[in-house]
Amino acid sequence: MAKTESIPIFENVKKNIRARILIRGAVQGVGFRPFIYRLAGSLNLTGWINNNTSGVVIEAEGDRESLSEFIQRIREEKPVRAIIDSLTTEYAECAGYRNFEIKKSDWSADKSAWILPDIGTCSECRDEIFDPSDRRYLYPFTNCTNCGPRYSIILSLPYDRPNTTMRNFTMCPECRREYNDPGNRRFHAQPNACPVCGPRIWLSDRSGQIIYEKNQALFETVDLLKQGRIIALKGIGGFQLLVDAGKDAAVKRLRRAKSRDEKPFAMMFPDMETVKYYCGVSAQEQNCLESPEAPIVLLKRKLSASSGIMDISELVAPDNPYWGIMLPYSPLHLILMSLYKKPLIATSGNFTDEPICINNDEAIRELHGIADYFLMHDRPIARYVDDSVVRTIADHITVLRRARGYAPLPVTIKQSLPPALAVGGHLKNTIAVANRNNIFISHHIGDLETNKAYNAFTRAVTDLKHMYNVVPQIVVCDKHPDYSSSQFAAKFKGKIIRVQHHYAHILSCMAENGVSPPVLGFAWDGTGYGDDGTVWGGECLAVNNKGYERAAFLRTFPLPGGDKAVREPGRAAFGLLYHILGDRIKDYRHLPSLQQFNSGEIRVLKQMLDKKINCPKTSSIGRLFDVVSSLLDVQHINTFEGQAAIKLENLAWRAEKETGAYQYGIINNNGRRIIDWEPLIMSILADITAGMVPEVIAATFHNTLADMIFKLAGEIGIKKIVLSGGTFQNKFLTEKVIAGLQKQNFIVYRHKNIPPNDGGISVGQILAINNMTNE
């Protein structure tokens, strides 16, 4: 909540006074200074405003009533994209200002101003782009104070043109006039440009040879896409790979080139009308698609033949009822889609597990084996920023990948923290820095599986520390000793705090929601290094002011082959069944999950399990999803993370009637509860043998997991419930859990703007600082 101080009563109330106002938050790059300039003029106030590295500073002189109205209207009428975190005021005698001006930025304050995310094109700029009489007609870099690039072009605070990648583009007289005109919406718009003075586009071949420029490059790109060519397009935050979503051969070639067998591709649709033709869209989802954040939204596709569904290749999202869809959000995308008029695949310009290319030479070098042509421009990108991904869960938008449109806005907490760096996890990595009471979170960095990904991670660390001038006193990491991020942290010479993975999950949700202990946190996911050295993932943590207790967890089972069993759900299924059945596993040889192994492979698996060779134990809900998915013949090999679980959820949605729950046990073990899944698995085996349809079994399995949470919450008795971890990306499960808990009068907290997956744990790692000690 923004803070203000009341205006003191002077002896002579008619005497003018001076107010010095410091505003922190997202107040740079949103037209805040022009707004204040105009507001001060309308109230006949004199003084000045400037940006500094903390936010904006205002000195305003006038009578008491006018200053009071000034402060009130700042809060009520601020620019739509501005976020006021705090507003503090001090009063003094007048300095004798004669007018109101925008002063040069001050670089001397602490760096705590909020950097705004990149903002989708506003309606006014869109109208100019498509107005043949406008000087920015079809100009791909049109922007104003209400829209355009921010985070992807800023080099340092404060947010002024010399501190952005636009610094080498000198404004022409007409753009300079707009920039200096208080009545113009481009007044102090730092990326302001036009075809005369701004960035330009061109189309090149694989060798980098320019073959078309300006508008002709766009027209030729459209023709090439119609021919089934793959285009590498340089967007706001990096390169994207575009291909016609309706051409099977082109989509298949893109999959082969990117080594991406089955993971769904995102698509860009030309307009909302086309989206609604192909998908069911709620009002909330439409608002999100059309919002300035303009993320990829997961939408249920229509399955009827009359919907024209066959116009889009089934290879876009194989065996998946959901499509990831976004609308064009930059001028370049808007122009291209207005010309093409059909859905395009728009996927990240990289190889799997590698960072997105951001500069032209790099793109030619790295992507020449994928793309046929390159649509490029000469505005440098400061850092790669992927497209964000969201999903509606229980009537709220939930961010699954936090990047363009959301990063790097902070989470603000009550307590002030020492300067610190959190390096996140290994998958879906993000990092975070603590600056006073703000936790600034990076964009989505990705999985740290390759040297290039690790190098991108280290650059992001340097970048975020520089941006906020944070010299960490503490570095926080995951407890897993083999994570690349943890090994990076181990090189730090100062205080290192290692935070248990699932505790960080719960803390991240608490930070986002401003929740204080005690809470009961359910952290369900695929993998996390446990305090006992085993693989955790089905955790119920009782969190207090001093830390946490492991109140309940899933009964463990072995994973033959360790990480190989994560990639191969069939192995996880074999390990679990052999654990409870022993040699009686032969009675279930008819199951598809076991038929995939020949007699020699079964012999080796049994030996591994009997001798406990590379068979780590896990309490992971994610691995239990894998087991059931394999038992139901849904997925035996994961070609991407979470595939088996995603398919099992999609199967559950197809159940034609409401189902009950399977039996399970809760064993009290010295005050800790162990969730015994054995009755659940035996019931599933019985249903499979009896010929029960897989859809009903999948739905009943989900209901059983929800019932586990209900029962544990009721037994433990803590009223505030926190849900975190990748499992709670599952809409079917999460909606049942929230509805059931609320029915029992529990207060439920879940993620909305911070991902429930590992993309959020850097936030939780920062929050753990006050409760953890050096190890």
Side-chain angles (χ1 to χ4, degrees):
M1 179 66 69
K3 303 173 184 176
T4 63
E5 297 178 9
S6 60
I7 297 180
I9 299 176
F10 289 79
E11 291 183 9
N12 181 359
V13 296
K14 295 183 179 180
K15 180 181 178 181
N16 282 1
I17 56 174
R18 173 163 54 109
R20 183 176 176 87
I21 305 166
L22 172 60
I23 304 178
R24 298 178 185 270
V27 290
Q28 296 186 17
V30 292
F32 206 88
R33 289 178 295 177
F35 158 69
I36 293 295
Y37 180 94
R38 289 189 289 266
L39 180 59
S42 71
L43 295 172
N44 295 316
L45 301 178
T46 59
W48 53 267
I49 179 174
N50 74 353
N51 279 346
N52 69 16
T53 50
S54 294
V56 297
V57 177
I58 305 165
E59 287 208 359
E61 292 183 351
D63 61 72
R64 185 164 64 91
E65 291 81 3
S66 296
L67 285 173
S68 179
E69 182 180 350
F70 180 61
I71 293 170
Q72 183 67 23
R73 289 177 65 183
I74 288 173
R75 292 185 297 170
E76 293 177 350
E77 301 174 16
K78 63 180 176 60
V80 64
R81 301 302 299 166
I83 303 171
I84 296 177
D85 180 46
S86 66
L87 188 158
T88 57
T89 312
E90 297 176 351
Y91 297 92
E93 297 293 328
C94 286
Y97 299 123
R98 296 190 176 186
N99 53 26
F100 198 93
E101 63 177 330
I102 296 177
K103 294 178 65 175
K104 187 177 180 181
S105 296
D106 176 12
W107 296 36
S108 62
D110 68 297
K111 291 186 177 181
S112 57
W114 295 10
I115 298 168
L116 209 68
D118 300 311
I119 307 169
T121 305
C122 71
S123 59
E124 291 172 293
C125 284
R126 186 181 305 221
D127 290 343
E128 290 174 345
I129 291 166
F130 294 112
D131 180 356
S133 66
D134 194 278
R135 72 190 192 93
R136 290 186 174 89
Y137 177 58
L138 298 185
Y139 183 56
F141 305 97
T142 302
N143 67 86
C144 69
T145 55
N146 299 319
C147 68
R150 299 294 189 272
Y151 182 49
S152 62
I153 64 171
I154 189 169
L155 300 171
S156 63
L157 288 168
Y159 178 67
D160 289 322
R161 193 177 181 105
N163 295 333
T164 73
T165 61
M166 287 294 294
R167 61 189 177 184
N168 293 326
F169 294 93
T170 302
M171 283 184 275
C172 66
E174 185 62 20
C175 285
R176 176 62 65 181
R177 183 194 62 76
E178 294 170 331
Y179 185 87
N180 290 327
D181 179 4
N184 194 291
R185 76 176 195 282
R186 294 192 170 93
F187 184 43
H188 281 249
Q190 304 307 329
N192 190 27
C194 74
V196 174
C197 62
R200 63 186 182 91
I201 61 167
W202 64 87
L203 184 71
S204 74
D205 59 21
R206 286 175 169 173
S207 70
Q209 181 69 37
I210 296 176
I211 51 179
Y212 292 99
E213 295 185 87
K214 299 183 179 179
N215 287 352
Q216 192 58 41
L218 289 165
F219 302 146
E220 185 64 21
T221 296
V222 168
D223 288 341
L224 291 168
L225 286 166
K226 289 178 179 177
Q227 296 170 27
R229 304 288 190 173
I230 299 172
I231 306 295
L233 175 145
K234 186 179 183 182
I236 284 183
F239 276 82
Q240 295 171 313
L241 294 167
L242 307 182
V243 73
D244 190 313
K247 297 185 182 298
D248 279 352
V251 179
K252 187 180 295 184
R253 190 160 66 92
L254 179 60
R255 285 203 173 278
R256 186 168 58 248
K258 276 182 66 86
S259 300
R260 184 165 169 159
D261 296 334
E262 298 179 15
K263 187 176 182 180
F265 284 127
M267 289 182 285
M268 183 173 284
F269 277 44
D271 49 46
M272 184 58 67
E273 182 181 359
T274 309
V275 175
K276 289 182 175 180
Y277 180 75
Y278 285 98
C279 299
V281 186
S282 69
Q284 189 177 50
E285 288 165 339
Q286 178 170 344
N287 289 339
C288 192
L289 283 164
E290 295 177 332
S291 71
E293 291 81 9
I296 297 167
V297 181
L298 299 187
L299 298 174
K300 189 76 172 290
R301 58 177 172 170
K302 295 176 181 176
L303 299 178
S304 64
S306 61
S307 69
I309 203 74
M310 297 309 293
D311 292 347
I312 293 178
S313 171
E314 191 60 37
L315 296 173
V316 170
D319 196 26
N320 196 318
Y322 287 89
W323 281 338
I325 293 175
M326 58 184 153
L327 292 175
Y329 52 83
S330 76
L332 180 56
H333 290 108
L334 283 163
I335 297 166
L336 185 65
M337 295 306 292
S338 73
L339 296 170
Y340 201 70
K341 303 184 187 306
K342 293 194 300 180
L344 290 173
I345 285 176
T347 189
S348 53
N350 61 349
F351 283 99
T352 301
D353 295 329
E354 292 188 358
I356 299 169
C357 296
I358 62 172
N359 70 61
N360 298 336
D361 291 341
E362 175 194 26
I364 294 291
R365 183 176 66 252
E366 298 293 331
L367 302 179
H368 74 275
I370 301 178
D372 300 309
Y373 294 90
F374 294 76
L375 184 60
M376 301 197 284
H377 60 76
D378 57 354
R379 183 176 67 198
I381 299 171
R383 61 194 57 81
Y384 74 86
V385 186
D386 211 337
D387 295 312
S388 294
V389 180
V390 307
R391 185 181 199 182
T392 54
I393 299 177
D395 298 323
H396 285 284
I397 294 294
T398 300
V399 174
L400 307 183
R401 183 169 74 196
R402 190 176 187 271
R404 179 186 51 76
Y406 298 91
L409 289 176
V411 171
T412 300
I413 59 176
K414 295 176 182 178
Q415 64 267 47
S416 185
L417 295 168
L421 165 71
V423 295
H426 187 71
L427 301 178
K428 298 179 173 64
N429 180 269
T430 62
I431 61 169
V433 294
N435 188 324
R436 308 200 316 180
N437 68 327
N438 288 317
I439 303 173
F440 292 98
I441 313 140
S442 75
H443 55 287
H444 168 82
I445 297 169
D447 300 348
L448 307 185
E449 295 282 0
T450 65
N451 288 335
K452 288 181 180 178
Y454 179 75
N455 291 338
F457 158 80
T458 59
R459 288 195 300 271
V461 168
T462 301
D463 183 40
L464 201 60
K465 289 194 300 181
H466 162 74
M467 195 70 69
Y468 290 102
N469 197 28
V470 171
V471 180
Q473 298 175 8
I474 302 168
V475 170
V476 196
C477 66
D478 194 275
K479 276 193 171 183
H480 199 304
D482 295 332
Y483 280 1
S484 299
S485 55
S486 300
Q487 292 172 354
F488 173 88
K491 300 173 185 177
F492 182 61
K493 301 301 182 183
K495 185 175 183 179
I496 301 171
I497 295 177
R498 296 174 175 85
V499 180
Q500 202 282 321
H501 187 89
H502 301 94
Y503 181 42
H505 267 305
I506 299 304
L507 290 178
S508 71
C509 189
M510 291 172 65
E512 178 182 356
N513 289 281
V515 183
S516 57
V519 306
L520 188 65
F522 289 89
W524 284 6
D525 63 4
T527 298
Y529 191 81
D531 291 335
D532 58 2
T534 64
V535 180
W536 290 8
E539 310 311 307
C540 174
L541 305 181
V543 177
N544 54 46
N545 286 318
K546 295 183 179 180
Y548 66 94
E549 294 180 3
R550 195 183 187 199
F553 55 91
L554 194 70
R555 175 183 166 186
T556 61
F557 59 92
L559 295 174
D563 287 344
K564 192 170 185 180
V566 175
R567 295 188 296 271
E568 301 178 16
R571 279 178 167 261
F574 190 97
L576 182 144
L577 292 178
Y578 191 70
H579 183 62
I580 60 175
L581 298 172
D583 286 337
R584 287 188 298 125
I585 196 172
K586 65 180 182 294
D587 297 337
Y588 296 93
R589 258 322 247 130
H590 62 282
L591 294 174
S593 59
L594 299 184
Q595 287 182 351
Q596 64 179 305
F597 302 111
N598 61 40
S599 57
E601 290 170 330
I602 289 176
R603 185 167 57 253
V604 170
L605 287 170
K606 286 182 176 180
Q607 289 174 350
M608 291 174 66
L609 290 161
D610 289 337
K611 296 178 181 179
K612 300 179 180 178
I613 299 171
N614 193 20
C615 292
K617 290 185 176 181
T618 184
S619 61
S620 166
I621 290 286
R623 299 291 76 79
L624 192 63
F625 266 92
D626 286 352
V627 168
V628 176
S629 187
S630 181
L631 291 177
L632 295 182
D633 198 22
V634 173
Q635 193 73 23
H636 304 297
I637 305 290
N638 281 328
T639 65
F640 60 90
E641 187 203 5
Q643 184 178 16
I646 291 169
K647 283 195 169 184
L648 195 63
E649 178 196 351
N650 294 337
L651 188 67
W653 282 113
R654 299 206 295 268
E656 294 182 353
K657 61 181 180 179
E658 186 66 29
T659 65
Y662 290 120
Q663 293 295 310
Y664 59 92
I666 294 182
I667 303 165
N668 197 318
N669 182 21
N670 296 323
R672 288 182 175 177
R673 295 165 174 83
I674 300 174
I675 308 167
D676 185 8
W677 40 258
E678 186 170 339
L680 158 66
I681 294 297
M682 295 308 296
S683 297
I684 288 176
L685 292 176
D687 278 352
I688 293 172
T689 302
M692 180 71 73
V693 294
E695 291 84 353
V696 170
I697 298 174
T700 308
F701 170 70
H702 280 76
N703 292 343
T704 308
L705 296 183
D707 195 72
M708 292 173 182
I709 291 178
F710 304 152
K711 190 167 185 178
L712 288 170
E715 287 187 6
I716 295 170
I718 299 174
K719 297 304 290 183
K720 290 188 287 188
I721 307 296
V722 171
L723 307 176
S724 189
T727 300
F728 294 107
Q729 298 172 118
N730 182 314
K731 179 181 173 75
F732 189 98
L733 174 64
T734 304
E735 291 184 342
K736 285 187 176 293
V737 168
I738 291 172
L741 288 171
Q742 289 176 340
K743 190 175 181 179
Q744 297 178 40
N745 296 317
F746 288 98
I747 304 169
V748 185
Y749 299 96
R750 32 72 75 93
H751 289 279
K752 295 172 187 174
N753 292 317
I754 301 298
N757 56 50
D758 285 5
I761 67 169
S762 61
V763 177
Q765 289 173 345
I766 290 286
L767 198 65
I769 288 172
N770 287 346
N771 295 336
M772 306 294 288
T773 59
N774 191 11
E775 297 191 2

